[in-house]
Amino acid sequence: MLDYPSLAALAAVVREGGFERAAAALGVTPSAVSQRVRGLEERLGAVLVMRGQPPVPTEAGAKLCAHAERVRLLEGELAAQLPGIAGRGERSESRVTLRIAVNADSLGSWFLPAAARFAERTGALLDLVLDDEEHTAGRLRSGEVLAAVTTDPAPVQGCRTVALGALRYAATASPDFVRRHFPRGVDAEAITRAPMLRFDRRDGLQARWAGEILGAAALDAPVHWVPSTQGFVDGALAGLGWGMNPLPLVADHLGSGRLVELVPERRLGVALHWQAARIGARLLDMLSGEVMAAARANLREGQTGAG
Protein backbone atom coordinates (compact mmCIF):
# COMPACT_ATOMS: atom_id res chain seq x y z
CA MET A 1 0.00 0.00 0.00
CA LEU A 2 1.15 3.53 -0.70
CA ASP A 3 2.11 5.88 2.10
CA TYR A 4 -0.45 8.60 1.45
CA PRO A 5 1.02 11.33 3.69
CA SER A 6 4.28 10.93 1.78
CA LEU A 7 2.43 10.84 -1.53
CA ALA A 8 0.56 14.01 -0.57
CA ALA A 9 3.88 15.68 0.21
CA LEU A 10 5.28 14.74 -3.20
CA ALA A 11 2.19 16.04 -4.99
CA ALA A 12 2.28 19.28 -2.99
CA VAL A 13 5.93 19.89 -3.91
CA VAL A 14 5.07 19.59 -7.61
CA ARG A 15 1.78 21.48 -7.36
CA GLU A 16 3.12 24.36 -5.24
CA GLY A 17 6.48 24.60 -7.01
CA GLY A 18 8.78 24.03 -4.04
CA PHE A 19 9.34 22.30 -0.70
CA GLU A 20 8.72 25.39 1.45
CA ARG A 21 5.50 26.23 -0.37
CA ALA A 22 4.39 22.61 -0.06
CA ALA A 23 5.07 22.75 3.66
CA ALA A 24 2.97 25.91 4.01
CA ALA A 25 0.11 24.33 2.04
CA LEU A 26 0.20 21.18 4.18
CA GLY A 27 0.75 23.00 7.49
CA VAL A 28 3.98 21.12 8.32
CA THR A 29 7.67 22.00 8.32
CA PRO A 30 9.83 21.94 5.16
CA SER A 31 12.04 19.29 6.73
CA ALA A 32 8.98 17.06 7.25
CA VAL A 33 8.07 17.41 3.56
CA SER A 34 11.65 16.64 2.52
CA GLN A 35 11.80 13.59 4.79
CA ARG A 36 8.51 12.23 3.45
CA VAL A 37 9.54 12.61 -0.16
CA ARG A 38 12.98 11.12 0.50
CA GLY A 39 11.46 8.24 2.42
CA LEU A 40 9.01 7.52 -0.42
CA GLU A 41 11.88 7.52 -2.92
CA GLU A 42 13.86 5.11 -0.74
CA ARG A 43 10.94 2.72 -0.36
CA LEU A 44 10.23 2.73 -4.11
CA GLY A 45 13.90 2.69 -5.11
CA ALA A 46 13.48 5.55 -7.60
CA VAL A 47 14.02 9.29 -7.84
CA LEU A 48 10.57 10.90 -7.93
CA VAL A 49 11.36 14.59 -8.25
CA MET A 50 14.32 16.49 -9.67
CA ARG A 51 15.31 19.11 -7.11
CA GLY A 52 15.38 22.47 -8.86
CA GLN A 53 13.52 25.75 -9.18
CA PRO A 54 10.83 24.63 -9.63
CA PRO A 55 11.07 20.91 -8.77
CA VAL A 56 10.18 18.70 -11.73
CA PRO A 57 8.71 15.19 -11.33
CA THR A 58 10.36 12.24 -13.01
CA GLU A 59 8.20 9.89 -15.07
CA ALA A 60 7.54 7.75 -12.00
CA GLY A 61 6.92 10.84 -9.90
CA ALA A 62 4.45 12.23 -12.43
CA LYS A 63 2.41 9.02 -12.30
CA LEU A 64 2.30 9.15 -8.51
CA CYS A 65 1.36 12.85 -8.54
CA ALA A 66 -1.49 12.17 -10.95
CA HIS A 67 -2.74 9.41 -8.65
CA ALA A 68 -2.41 11.67 -5.61
CA GLU A 69 -4.40 14.50 -7.20
CA ARG A 70 -7.19 12.10 -8.13
CA VAL A 71 -7.31 10.70 -4.60
CA ARG A 72 -7.27 14.26 -3.23
CA LEU A 73 -10.33 15.16 -5.28
CA LEU A 74 -12.27 12.02 -4.36
CA GLU A 75 -11.44 12.39 -0.66
CA GLY A 76 -12.43 16.06 -0.82
CA GLU A 77 -15.82 15.16 -2.27
CA LEU A 78 -16.31 12.50 0.39
CA ALA A 79 -15.29 14.88 3.20
CA ALA A 80 -17.83 17.41 1.94
CA GLN A 81 -20.53 14.78 2.34
CA LEU A 82 -19.14 13.35 5.61
CA PRO A 83 -17.42 16.21 7.46
CA GLY A 84 -16.50 13.94 10.34
CA ILE A 85 -13.87 12.11 8.31
CA ALA A 86 -11.90 15.26 7.38
CA GLY A 87 -8.35 15.24 8.68
CA ARG A 88 -7.71 17.23 11.85
CA GLY A 89 -3.95 16.97 12.10
CA GLU A 90 -2.52 18.68 9.09
CA ARG A 91 -4.21 21.55 7.33
CA SER A 92 -7.19 20.48 5.24
CA GLU A 93 -9.21 22.60 2.85
CA SER A 94 -12.85 23.17 3.77
CA ARG A 95 -13.81 23.14 0.10
CA VAL A 96 -12.61 20.99 -2.78
CA THR A 97 -10.20 22.64 -5.21
CA LEU A 98 -9.82 21.42 -8.80
CA ARG A 99 -6.56 22.28 -10.57
CA ILE A 100 -7.12 22.88 -14.29
CA ALA A 101 -4.72 23.89 -17.09
CA VAL A 102 -6.05 26.40 -19.61
CA ASN A 103 -4.52 28.65 -22.26
CA ALA A 104 -4.64 32.41 -21.82
CA ASP A 105 -6.81 33.12 -24.88
CA SER A 106 -9.49 30.66 -23.77
CA LEU A 107 -9.37 32.09 -20.27
CA GLY A 108 -9.81 35.59 -21.63
CA SER A 109 -12.56 34.84 -24.14
CA TRP A 110 -14.91 31.96 -23.24
CA PHE A 111 -13.73 29.77 -20.33
CA LEU A 112 -14.38 31.95 -17.27
CA PRO A 113 -18.21 32.05 -17.59
CA ALA A 114 -18.17 28.24 -17.53
CA ALA A 115 -15.92 28.31 -14.45
CA ALA A 116 -18.23 30.80 -12.73
CA ARG A 117 -21.34 28.71 -13.39
CA PHE A 118 -19.57 25.61 -12.06
CA ALA A 119 -18.41 27.39 -8.91
CA GLU A 120 -21.88 28.82 -8.25
CA ARG A 121 -23.52 25.42 -8.65
CA THR A 122 -21.06 23.44 -6.55
CA GLY A 123 -19.25 25.77 -4.16
CA ALA A 124 -15.98 24.16 -5.29
CA LEU A 125 -12.84 26.19 -5.96
CA LEU A 126 -10.65 26.28 -9.06
CA ASP A 127 -6.87 26.58 -9.30
CA LEU A 128 -6.31 27.62 -12.94
CA VAL A 129 -2.84 27.00 -14.36
CA LEU A 130 -1.97 29.09 -17.42
CA ASP A 131 0.06 27.56 -20.23
CA ASP A 132 0.19 27.53 -24.02
CA GLU A 133 -2.59 25.38 -25.50
CA GLU A 134 0.04 23.14 -27.13
CA HIS A 135 1.60 22.40 -23.73
CA THR A 136 -1.34 22.12 -21.34
CA ALA A 137 -1.61 18.36 -21.99
CA GLY A 138 1.87 18.05 -20.53
CA ARG A 139 0.46 19.35 -17.25
CA LEU A 140 -1.93 16.39 -17.26
CA ARG A 141 0.88 13.94 -17.94
CA SER A 142 2.93 15.36 -15.09
CA GLY A 143 0.03 14.97 -12.66
CA GLU A 144 -0.16 18.70 -11.95
CA VAL A 145 -3.77 19.09 -13.07
CA LEU A 146 -6.97 17.06 -13.36
CA ALA A 147 -8.11 18.47 -16.70
CA ALA A 148 -6.91 20.76 -19.45
CA VAL A 149 -7.96 22.79 -22.48
CA THR A 150 -5.48 21.68 -25.12
CA THR A 151 -4.81 21.42 -28.85
CA ASP A 152 -3.61 17.83 -28.37
CA PRO A 153 -6.33 15.36 -29.45
CA ALA A 154 -4.36 12.29 -28.34
CA PRO A 155 -5.76 11.16 -24.98
CA VAL A 156 -3.41 11.33 -22.03
CA GLN A 157 -3.36 7.97 -20.26
CA GLY A 158 -6.27 7.76 -17.84
CA CYS A 159 -8.10 10.70 -19.42
CA ARG A 160 -10.98 11.15 -21.83
CA THR A 161 -10.87 13.67 -24.67
CA VAL A 162 -13.73 15.73 -26.09
CA ALA A 163 -13.41 18.01 -29.14
CA LEU A 164 -14.54 21.52 -28.13
CA GLY A 165 -14.39 23.28 -31.50
CA ALA A 166 -12.15 25.97 -32.93
CA LEU A 167 -11.29 29.33 -31.40
CA ARG A 168 -11.19 31.79 -34.30
CA TYR A 169 -8.44 34.41 -34.57
CA ALA A 170 -8.33 37.58 -36.66
CA ALA A 171 -5.19 39.50 -37.68
CA THR A 172 -6.02 42.96 -36.37
CA ALA A 173 -4.48 46.40 -36.02
CA SER A 174 -5.61 49.99 -35.58
CA PRO A 175 -6.62 51.88 -38.75
CA ASP A 176 -3.75 54.34 -38.21
CA PHE A 177 -1.25 51.46 -37.89
CA VAL A 178 -2.47 50.01 -41.18
CA ARG A 179 -2.15 53.38 -42.93
CA ARG A 180 1.41 53.85 -41.64
CA HIS A 181 2.78 50.37 -42.25
CA PHE A 182 0.73 49.11 -45.20
CA PRO A 183 0.29 52.14 -47.49
CA ARG A 184 0.32 49.88 -50.56
CA GLY A 185 -1.63 47.03 -49.02
CA VAL A 186 -0.85 43.98 -46.90
CA ASP A 187 1.41 41.50 -48.69
CA ALA A 188 4.22 39.04 -47.93
CA GLU A 189 6.89 41.75 -48.23
CA ALA A 190 5.19 44.45 -46.17
CA ILE A 191 4.31 42.05 -43.35
CA THR A 192 8.03 41.44 -42.66
CA ARG A 193 8.59 45.15 -41.92
CA ALA A 194 5.56 45.94 -39.76
CA PRO A 195 5.94 45.50 -35.96
CA MET A 196 3.92 42.57 -34.66
CA LEU A 197 2.79 41.43 -31.23
CA ARG A 198 3.81 38.06 -29.77
CA PHE A 199 2.63 36.53 -26.53
CA ASP A 200 5.86 34.62 -25.82
CA ARG A 201 8.59 32.65 -27.59
CA ARG A 202 6.20 29.77 -28.26
CA ASP A 203 3.58 31.96 -29.94
CA GLY A 204 3.71 31.12 -33.64
CA LEU A 205 0.20 32.23 -34.61
CA GLN A 206 1.29 35.43 -36.36
CA ALA A 207 3.84 33.53 -38.47
CA ARG A 208 1.27 30.85 -39.27
CA TRP A 209 -1.24 33.46 -40.48
CA ALA A 210 1.35 35.25 -42.60
CA GLY A 211 2.38 31.94 -44.19
CA GLU A 212 -1.11 30.59 -44.85
CA ILE A 213 -2.79 33.85 -45.90
CA LEU A 214 0.02 35.86 -47.47
CA GLY A 215 2.42 33.12 -48.53
CA ALA A 216 5.24 34.58 -46.44
CA ALA A 217 7.99 31.97 -46.23
CA ALA A 218 9.26 33.32 -42.90
CA LEU A 219 8.12 36.11 -40.62
CA ASP A 220 11.29 37.85 -39.40
CA ALA A 221 9.54 41.06 -38.38
CA PRO A 222 10.09 43.47 -35.47
CA VAL A 223 8.40 42.10 -32.34
CA HIS A 224 6.73 43.62 -29.29
CA TRP A 225 6.45 40.95 -26.57
CA VAL A 226 3.08 41.27 -24.83
CA PRO A 227 2.37 38.30 -22.47
CA SER A 228 -1.30 39.15 -21.91
CA THR A 229 -4.45 38.33 -23.86
CA GLN A 230 -6.07 41.67 -23.00
CA GLY A 231 -2.71 43.35 -23.58
CA PHE A 232 -2.77 42.01 -27.14
CA VAL A 233 -6.09 43.73 -27.76
CA ASP A 234 -4.97 46.93 -26.04
CA GLY A 235 -1.68 46.91 -27.94
CA ALA A 236 -3.50 46.63 -31.25
CA LEU A 237 -5.91 49.42 -30.27
CA ALA A 238 -3.00 51.66 -29.27
CA GLY A 239 -1.22 51.11 -32.59
CA LEU A 240 1.71 49.26 -31.00
CA GLY A 241 1.61 46.44 -33.56
CA TRP A 242 -0.59 43.92 -35.30
CA GLY A 243 -1.47 40.58 -33.81
CA MET A 244 -3.77 37.57 -33.88
CA ASN A 245 -6.63 38.25 -31.48
CA PRO A 246 -9.46 35.86 -30.52
CA LEU A 247 -12.49 36.95 -32.52
CA PRO A 248 -14.83 37.06 -29.48
CA LEU A 249 -12.57 39.69 -27.89
CA VAL A 250 -12.30 42.00 -30.90
CA ALA A 251 -15.67 41.61 -32.65
CA ASP A 252 -17.03 44.83 -31.10
CA HIS A 253 -13.84 46.73 -31.92
CA LEU A 254 -14.02 45.52 -35.53
CA GLY A 255 -17.68 46.51 -35.73
CA SER A 256 -16.95 50.03 -34.46
CA GLY A 257 -13.88 50.51 -36.65
CA ARG A 258 -11.47 50.87 -33.73
CA LEU A 259 -9.68 47.83 -35.17
CA VAL A 260 -9.50 46.52 -38.73
CA GLU A 261 -8.47 43.16 -40.15
CA LEU A 262 -5.27 43.16 -42.17
CA VAL A 263 -7.03 40.94 -44.72
CA PRO A 264 -10.81 41.02 -44.20
CA GLU A 265 -12.45 37.72 -43.26
CA ARG A 266 -9.18 35.74 -43.59
CA ARG A 267 -8.95 34.15 -40.18
CA LEU A 268 -7.37 31.15 -38.48
CA GLY A 269 -9.03 28.52 -36.34
CA VAL A 270 -7.24 26.69 -33.51
CA ALA A 271 -8.92 23.39 -32.64
CA LEU A 272 -9.30 22.89 -28.89
CA HIS A 273 -9.98 19.74 -26.87
CA TRP A 274 -10.98 19.10 -23.27
CA GLN A 275 -9.05 16.34 -21.54
CA ALA A 276 -10.17 15.26 -18.09
CA ALA A 277 -9.18 12.44 -15.77
CA ARG A 278 -11.39 9.34 -15.85
CA ILE A 279 -12.03 8.97 -12.14
CA GLY A 280 -15.80 9.19 -11.81
CA ALA A 281 -15.62 12.34 -9.68
CA ARG A 282 -18.94 14.17 -9.61
CA LEU A 283 -17.35 17.64 -9.51
CA LEU A 284 -15.04 16.97 -12.42
CA ASP A 285 -17.95 15.66 -14.48
CA MET A 286 -19.96 18.79 -13.66
CA LEU A 287 -17.08 21.05 -14.67
CA SER A 288 -16.71 19.11 -17.93
CA GLY A 289 -20.38 19.67 -18.66
CA GLU A 290 -20.09 23.43 -18.13
CA VAL A 291 -16.95 23.65 -20.28
CA MET A 292 -18.56 21.73 -23.14
CA ALA A 293 -21.70 23.89 -22.97
CA ALA A 294 -19.60 27.07 -23.13
CA ALA A 295 -17.62 25.68 -26.05
CA ARG A 296 -20.79 24.90 -27.98
CA ALA A 297 -21.91 28.51 -27.53
CA ASN A 298 -18.59 30.19 -28.36
CA LEU A 299 -16.42 27.98 -30.58
CA ARG A 300 -16.83 27.02 -34.21
CA GLU A 301 -17.51 23.32 -34.68
CA GLY A 302 -15.14 21.57 -37.05
CA GLN A 303 -13.64 24.78 -38.48
CA THR A 304 -9.86 25.03 -38.25
CA GLY A 305 -7.17 26.45 -40.47
CA ALA A 306 -7.45 29.56 -42.61
CA GLY A 307 -10.69 31.01 -43.87
Side-chain angles (χ1 to χ4, degrees):
M1 295 294 293
L2 291 171
D3 177 356
Y4 278 93
S6 297
L7 194 58
L10 172 66
V13 168
V14 173
R15 183 175 63 250
E16 302 295 334
F19 283 79
E20 290 189 2
R21 291 177 180 176
L26 294 173
V28 299
T29 65
S31 62
V33 172
S34 180
Q35 290 171 10
R36 291 179 189 183
V37 173
R38 190 183 308 114
L40 187 61
E41 290 178 323
E42 290 174 355
R43 285 191 293 276
L44 296 178
V47 175
L48 301 177
V49 63
M50 305 299 293
R51 275 70 169 173
Q53 296 297 328
V56 178
T58 63
E59 183 177 356
K63 291 179 180 178
L64 288 173
C65 286
H67 176 72
E69 292 297 342
R70 287 156 172 75
V71 170
R72 184 168 171 257
L73 172 59
L74 293 172
E75 288 188 344
E77 287 191 351
L78 187 60
Q81 299 171 27
L82 302 171
I85 71 169
R88 292 182 172 82
E90 296 177 6
R91 184 176 304 168
S92 60
E93 296 180 3
S94 59
R95 288 195 284 181
V96 178
T97 299
L98 281 70
R99 201 161 198 242
I100 310 298
V102 60
N103 61 306
D105 286 343
S106 289
L107 189 67
S109 59
W110 66 271
F111 187 87
L112 280 178
R117 286 191 295 271
F118 164 77
E120 183 178 359
R121 287 178 59 195
T122 66
L125 303 174
L126 291 172
D127 181 356
L128 299 178
V129 180
L130 280 181
D131 205 344
D132 183 84
E133 60 268 20
E134 295 184 2
H135 297 84
T136 47
R139 302 276 188 167
L140 270 175
R141 294 187 182 92
S142 72
E144 292 180 69
V145 299
L146 292 163
V149 176
T150 176
T151 56
D152 189 351
V156 173
Q157 185 176 6
C159 297
R160 66 186 181 106
T161 301
V162 178
L164 295 175
L167 180 57
R168 305 293 290 174
Y169 287 81
T172 59
S174 69
D176 181 64
F177 181 90
V178 172
R179 283 191 293 268
R180 285 186 287 117
H181 292 279
F182 303 107
R184 296 180 179 83
V186 180
D187 56 27
E189 181 181 355
I191 202 71
T192 63
R193 298 191 299 266
M196 66 176 174
L197 309 177
R198 286 185 66 185
F199 191 89
D200 57 25
R201 268 65 181 176
R202 297 183 295 189
D203 176 15
L205 206 55
Q206 284 70 223
R208 178 184 158 193
W209 181 88
E212 293 187 21
I213 303 303
L214 302 178
L219 187 56
D220 186 18
V223 176
H224 294 293
W225 301 98
V226 184
S228 161
T229 295
Q230 187 58 49
F232 246 62
V233 178
D234 293 340
L237 287 167
L240 182 64
W242 74 273
M244 301 300 296
N245 278 303
L247 196 55
L249 291 186
V250 295
D252 289 344
H253 295 307
L254 291 172
S256 68
R258 292 188 295 270
L259 289 177
V260 296
E261 293 190 66
L262 298 192
V263 181
E265 302 296 326
R266 298 306 306 275
R267 299 159 181 166
L268 291 182
V270 174
L272 298 175
H273 298 79
W274 175 249
Q275 294 217 37
R278 292 180 178 272
I279 55 175
R282 177 184 61 88
L283 288 175
L284 191 54
D285 289 343
M286 292 177 70
L287 176 60
S288 295
E290 293 291 357
V291 168
M292 287 184 282
R296 285 193 298 270
N298 293 279
L299 303 181
R300 291 286 189 89
E301 184 177 355
Q303 293 196 19
T304 60

